[in-house]
Amino acid sequence: MHFRVILRVIGLLVMVFSMSLIPPIVVSLIYNDGELNAFLYGLAANIVGGFLLWFPVRKERGELKIRDGFLVTVLFWTVLGFFGSVPFFLSENPELSFTDALFESISGLTTTGATILLGIDDLPQSILFYRQMLQWLGGMGIIVLAVAIMPMLGIGGMQLYRAETPGPVKDTKLTPRIAETAKALWYIYATLTIVCALGYWIAGMTLFDAICHSFSTVAIGGFSTHDASIGYFDSVAIELICTFFMTVSAFNFALHFFAWRHKSVWHYFKDPEARFFLLMLSSTIILSTLVLAMTSTYDWGNSIRYAIFETVTIATTAGFGTSGFADWPHFLPFLLIVTSFVGGCASSTGGGMKVIRILLILKQGMREIQRLIHPNAVIPVKVGGKAIQERVVSAVWGFFSAYLLVYIVLMIGLMATGLDQVTSWSAVAATLNNLGPGLGDVSASFTSISDPAKWMLCFSMLLGRLEVFTLLVLFTPMFWQR
């Protein structure tokens, strides 16, 4: 393990991240909102902290290995969560404890969208902008951004990319060089953000709201500049734009890359993961619409409207809101939370276990049923007409088992702090799936829960963002053996 090289990498990346505090400083100056000092001190803390980490080991050189990549990834997200919390902690409005500031920072960076803030409409513009920007940076993965600039810093980045990129197949590269891959993904990501912002602006948002909401929409984060979220605007056009970009951002970004490279969209319809994802969304929308209309919760028009938006925002793990889905009748709140476990497609900005894993688990289940009928038959698991290697299927089952085990342990931990069962299971689902809103006491915000519960949920958000194994591997003795 190259600890001194790792420390140098972390120091450099923290200093690079400090530049993200410049836009909120500009916003604070424009609106004169009284939070300039919080961001200036935050900028200084980031630069000084990164410099102190980097300077003693500045001359260290060496190629990062696989284990180094995992450690850098986990350390960077953790350290960045702490440094990112500084402006929240120093701000006068809102006045936050260290735990609350850290919770809000990690929630933003992991694109979870769970918040401890109330009265969001009255917050300073610079704080609102900073929250949204944290989600935008976290959406594609700050590590991927760092990979694009690491060659200039003299650091190899392939190991980091493999450690951070989600999905069963981590070695796939869109371009021959990893830096080119990262840049291509960010070009696509930035283009989607700009187009989304323009759409919101044309549909009636102010320019500030349009930019802020485009950040959290493409990142599938869910933070908003208003307590009522997207429901504040009460606009069908805005909801349709939001629904479209949430869905697009939940697709595998490799599909967007090939669409851009080959000027074609047909591969979206041929991709088995994308088709299964759209089938899941359509089925849930239809069922939700029928239940809402038949229980007279809304008329047919509003039933369709709210069912479409809430299904997409929860299933993609964005977590925006137009209607309080927690108060919907019968099984609908539970159903929507369950869809967040599926989440977005692999290599998307969505959370959850990822569509491709669920698809593989279902196909594996069907194979076991077929084996009961034909015990000696050799029946491969196929996706898109291609046989999946057994080691991949086994890895997916291992991930599924670890995910559920972590979920159960965290839920029991929350219940031990005094939370009721509904609040506990939905809070873990909301954070582990990087969703945001839950049920019970956390349906609106996480303000009322205790500090120990918030620390557990911070850990849960990091687990979800790093897809469990990337973080859990650090707790195994084998990882630290020479």
Side-chain angles (χ1 to χ4, degrees):
M1 198 78 71
H2 302 86
F3 290 107
R4 293 177 65 84
V5 177
I6 291 171
L7 198 60
R8 174 175 172 266
V9 172
I10 296 298
L12 285 169
L13 294 178
V14 169
M15 286 190 286
V16 170
F17 172 74
S18 67
M19 298 299 101
S20 67
L21 294 177
I22 294 177
I25 289 174
V26 174
V27 172
S28 183
L29 288 171
I30 292 174
Y31 288 95
N32 192 25
D33 60 7
E35 294 298 331
L36 179 61
N37 287 340
F39 289 102
L40 288 175
Y41 292 145
L43 175 64
N46 276 261
I47 293 176
V48 172
F51 180 80
L52 291 177
L53 290 172
W54 167 80
F55 187 77
V57 292
R58 63 192 182 281
K59 296 181 180 180
E60 294 293 330
R61 295 291 186 275
E63 182 65 25
L64 292 174
K65 305 300 182 183
I66 297 295
R67 289 192 298 175
D68 299 326
F70 282 114
L71 185 57
V72 169
T73 301
V74 173
L75 281 177
F76 186 63
W77 282 93
T78 306
V79 170
L80 206 61
F82 279 91
F83 278 99
S85 68
V86 175
F88 290 127
F89 182 65
L90 295 178
S91 68
E92 296 180 359
N93 181 22
E95 292 185 15
L96 299 180
S97 66
F98 174 71
T99 297
D100 286 349
L102 181 66
F103 185 94
E104 198 74 10
S105 174
I106 291 179
S107 180
L109 285 169
T110 58
T111 72
T112 301
T115 184
I116 47 80
L117 297 177
L118 296 173
I120 295 174
D121 295 80
D122 300 322
L123 292 178
Q125 285 83 354
S126 57
I127 293 291
L128 294 175
F129 184 86
Y130 180 60
R131 292 172 76 237
Q132 307 298 116
M133 191 183 63
L134 282 179
Q135 291 206 320
W136 189 75
L137 292 173
M140 181 54 93
I142 300 174
I143 296 297
V144 177
L145 175 63
V147 167
I149 63 173
M150 272 185 170
M152 294 183 291
L153 304 177
I155 305 168
M158 185 62 204
Q159 290 76 17
L160 300 186
Y161 184 78
R162 293 183 63 213
E164 205 280 335
T165 302
V169 183
K170 291 176 177 279
D171 294 322
T172 302
K173 291 189 291 184
L174 307 180
T175 61
R177 298 183 60 186
I178 187 60
E180 293 177 9
T181 298
K183 289 175 183 177
L185 292 173
W186 269 99
Y187 287 145
I188 295 168
Y189 189 64
T191 301
L192 286 174
T193 305
I194 293 170
V195 175
C196 181
L198 289 174
Y200 280 145
W201 187 41
I202 294 171
M205 283 189 184
T206 64
L207 184 59
F208 180 80
D209 278 343
I211 293 172
C212 288
H213 282 88
S214 69
F215 284 169
S216 54
T217 301
V218 176
I220 307 188
F223 274 164
S224 175
T225 54
H226 302 282
D227 286 301
S229 191
I230 297 295
Y232 170 86
F233 303 99
D234 193 22
S235 167
V236 175
I238 288 174
E239 290 167 23
L240 288 175
I241 292 168
C242 186
T243 299
F244 173 78
F245 280 97
M246 285 189 295
T247 305
V248 168
S249 298
F251 283 141
N252 190 321
F253 266 64
L255 298 178
H256 302 327
F257 177 84
F258 289 120
W260 168 65
R261 174 65 63 87
H262 300 290
K263 304 297 188 293
S264 173
V265 296
W266 290 110
H267 59 280
Y268 287 101
F269 302 99
K270 296 177 182 178
D271 182 70
E273 184 184 26
R275 291 204 307 266
F276 183 75
F277 177 61
L278 292 175
L279 176 63
M280 180 192 72
L281 288 182
S282 302
S283 302
T284 308
I285 288 171
I286 292 171
L287 182 58
S288 298
T289 300
L290 291 174
V291 173
L292 290 174
M294 294 177 68
T295 57
S296 299
T297 305
Y298 308 109
D299 57 34
W300 276 99
N302 281 323
S303 294
I304 295 172
R305 172 186 175 181
Y306 293 133
I308 290 174
F309 186 86
E310 291 294 337
T311 295
V312 173
T313 192
I314 300 299
T316 60
T317 72
F320 287 116
T322 55
S323 170
F325 82 96
D327 299 321
W328 282 5
H330 303 314
F331 58 86
L332 287 184
F334 178 80
L335 173 66
L336 292 181
I337 293 289
V338 168
T339 62
S340 73
F341 279 90
V342 180
C345 299
S347 298
S348 73
T349 54
M353 288 187 279
K354 301 298 185 294
V355 176
I356 187 63
R357 289 195 180 102
I358 302 302
L359 181 58
L360 285 173
I361 289 171
L362 292 176
K363 286 182 175 291
Q364 165 71 350
M366 289 300 299
R367 180 173 70 169
E368 294 306 311
I369 293 175
Q370 292 171 340
R371 279 178 171 174
L372 293 175
I373 304 171
H374 303 287
N376 298 321
V378 178
I379 307 172
V381 174
K382 292 185 177 181
V383 175
K386 297 180 179 179
I388 303 299
Q389 296 180 14
E390 286 299 318
R391 66 177 183 86
V392 175
V393 177
S394 298
V396 168
W397 273 109
F399 174 86
F400 183 74
S401 302
Y403 205 89
L404 291 185
L405 181 62
V406 165
Y407 177 85
I408 292 171
V409 170
L410 287 171
M411 185 179 73
I412 293 173
L414 287 187
M415 292 177 68
T417 67
L419 294 178
D420 63 87
Q421 186 174 346
V422 171
T423 300
S424 297
W425 79 258
S426 66
V428 177
T431 51
L432 189 61
N433 296 336
N434 300 135
L435 166 62
L439 304 174
D441 294 342
V442 294
S443 59
S445 78
F446 288 69
T447 305
S448 62
I449 65 176
S450 65
D451 283 357
K454 289 173 184 174
W455 279 94
M456 277 189 277
L457 293 178
C458 284
F459 183 66
S460 179
M461 287 186 277
L462 289 171
L463 277 170
R465 184 65 183 92
L466 296 173
E467 304 232 336
V468 180
F469 279 148
T470 305
L471 181 52
L472 290 184
V473 71
L474 268 62
F475 293 92
T476 61
M478 184 180 295
F479 180 85
W480 301 100
Q481 292 175 358
R482 291 184 178 274

